[in-house]
Amino acid sequence: MANVLVIVPGITSIVNANLELARRLVVAGHSVLMASSANVGHQVRAQGLPFLQFEKGRPVQRKAHTDRFGARLWRWILRWRMRKSRCQEKIDASGLRTLAEQLGPHAFDLILVDIESAEHVIASWQFAGRVALVSTFLSIWKSPCQPPLHRDITPGVGWRGSRLGIEFAWLQLWLEKWWYRTRSWIRASGADRESVLLTFARQQGFPFDRYVERYDYLLPFSYRELPILTLNALELDFPLDLPAQCRYVGPMINSGSRQGDKELASEIQVVLERAGRKPLIYC
């Protein structure tokens, strides 16, 4: 029997998929503890599973300024010079250090972390070798003739669906992510989310440059080498060059979900109204 920790975000669909995964682990004879920084304890306990609530951080308060350009530029320079201490301030305020300390006393044989929860991945690194990522996405890696998942492109249809058109779509995604990272770094004067994560990774001994891939589909980044469990069926995906560390374990449908049909229909209606006439891509 293994002691397994499953760390989830606050997104209902991801919580439900991980609840089914946890249920199957329990049936297989393992001990499972679910944890989150979000308020999902009621959903987890309703399924008869124990739950660990991570302490939440506090936002760093900044005063709004309406000075002239020269004063704003000087303030930016001063903040940039203090970027290291400001990154540390954000780490302390976010509760990341506390999160790592909460995990420390436990003897977990395996930790499953949602692939988009970068903070939790780094905090779990003290259990190096016993950490695996969980993904509910399809096609998050670049492969020949496979477009980025969020692009409205059908392979083989039109110029956009040609091999050259798909390569152009990946180049466009690369440039968009580069610009997003650069703009965030400038606006935060060197203390943006990625800079804070990089500082935290160094403190935790997480080999950031070795494992992090910045320009794949996922935000803020995806990972090399770390084991990945994909909660989907390989048959539903595009043909792809599957990374060696990835395994498709099949769809995880939580039949015991307490989310009612009316509530779900209401959420879907809100999404449709927000989208208007824009195409929706279900992933």
Side-chain angles (χ1 to χ4, degrees):
M1 182 184 76
N3 292 320
V4 183
L5 173 67
V6 181
I7 302 178
V8 295
I11 302 173
T12 301
S13 59
I14 297 179
V15 173
N16 280 326
N18 279 273
L19 280 170
E20 176 61 18
L21 177 62
R23 185 191 68 79
R24 297 190 188 189
L25 288 170
V26 171
V27 170
H30 301 295
S31 174
V32 178
L33 171 65
M34 295 194 70
S36 180
S37 297
N39 296 322
V40 297
H42 61 289
Q43 295 174 251
V44 174
R45 295 188 185 97
Q47 303 293 311
L49 293 168
F51 178 75
L52 172 63
Q53 178 71 60
F54 291 139
E55 292 186 18
K56 292 185 178 181
R58 63 184 189 282
V60 178
Q61 300 296 329
R62 297 290 181 189
K63 294 182 179 180
H65 297 279
T66 58
D67 300 337
R68 295 181 179 180
F69 175 77
R72 293 200 303 270
L73 177 60
W74 177 245
R75 188 180 299 108
W76 186 92
I77 293 173
L78 291 177
R79 294 178 66 204
W80 182 81
R81 293 177 64 181
M82 298 173 62
R83 63 191 182 281
K84 292 184 179 180
S85 62
R86 291 173 51 242
C87 283
Q88 187 58 55
E89 180 186 357
K90 289 187 176 182
I91 289 173
D92 296 338
S94 65
L96 290 177
R97 190 181 302 280
T98 304
L99 190 155
E101 292 173 353
Q102 281 185 276
L103 292 178
H106 297 275
F108 295 115
D109 300 301
L110 175 65
I111 298 181
L112 301 177
V113 189
D114 183 74
I115 196 169
E116 290 189 292
S117 301
E119 291 83 357
H120 294 144
V121 173
I122 296 172
S124 303
W125 191 248
Q126 57 189 297
F127 299 92
R130 288 174 282 171
V131 177
L133 309 180
V134 177
S135 172
T136 57
F137 290 94
L138 293 165
S139 306
I140 61 176
W141 300 280
K142 184 179 184 299
S143 294
C145 299
Q146 178 187 306
L149 187 61
H150 64 304
R151 292 287 197 264
D152 185 16
I153 298 175
T154 303
V157 177
W159 182 86
R160 297 180 69 214
S162 67
R163 186 171 189 132
L164 183 60
I166 290 174
E167 287 296 324
F168 179 79
W170 280 104
L171 175 60
Q172 186 180 27
L173 174 64
W174 190 96
L175 292 171
E176 287 174 358
K177 294 193 73 173
W178 176 85
W179 173 239
Y180 174 82
R181 290 173 53 231
T182 303
R183 183 179 59 181
S184 299
W185 185 88
I186 293 172
R187 287 182 173 179
S189 308
D192 58 302
R193 184 190 179 192
E194 184 170 325
S195 298
V196 172
L197 287 174
L198 180 57
T199 301
F200 184 54
R202 288 169 178 162
Q203 295 172 356
Q204 294 296 113
F206 179 80
F208 197 88
D209 292 331
R210 174 183 172 183
Y211 286 113
V212 166
E213 173 55 61
R214 293 178 171 88
Y215 295 107
D216 274 339
Y217 166 72
L218 292 179
L219 289 173
F221 35 69
S222 57
Y223 303 88
R224 312 182 193 99
E225 299 184 33
L226 293 178
I228 300 174
L229 302 179
T230 299
L231 307 188
N232 274 299
L234 180 60
E235 293 80 4
L236 297 178
D237 210 337
F238 289 110
L240 76 161
D241 298 328
L242 191 65
Q245 78 275 20
C246 180
R247 294 292 184 272
Y248 280 66
V249 298
M252 294 289 158
I253 308 300
N254 179 22
S255 58
S257 173
R258 296 297 190 269
Q259 189 176 29
D261 293 338
K262 292 184 178 179
E263 180 184 352
L264 183 60
S266 177
E267 291 181 3
I268 293 175
Q269 185 60 38
V270 170
V271 171
L272 292 174
E273 290 174 357
R274 288 179 179 176
R277 296 185 178 180
K278 297 179 181 178
L280 291 175
I281 300 177
Y282 176 75
C283 56

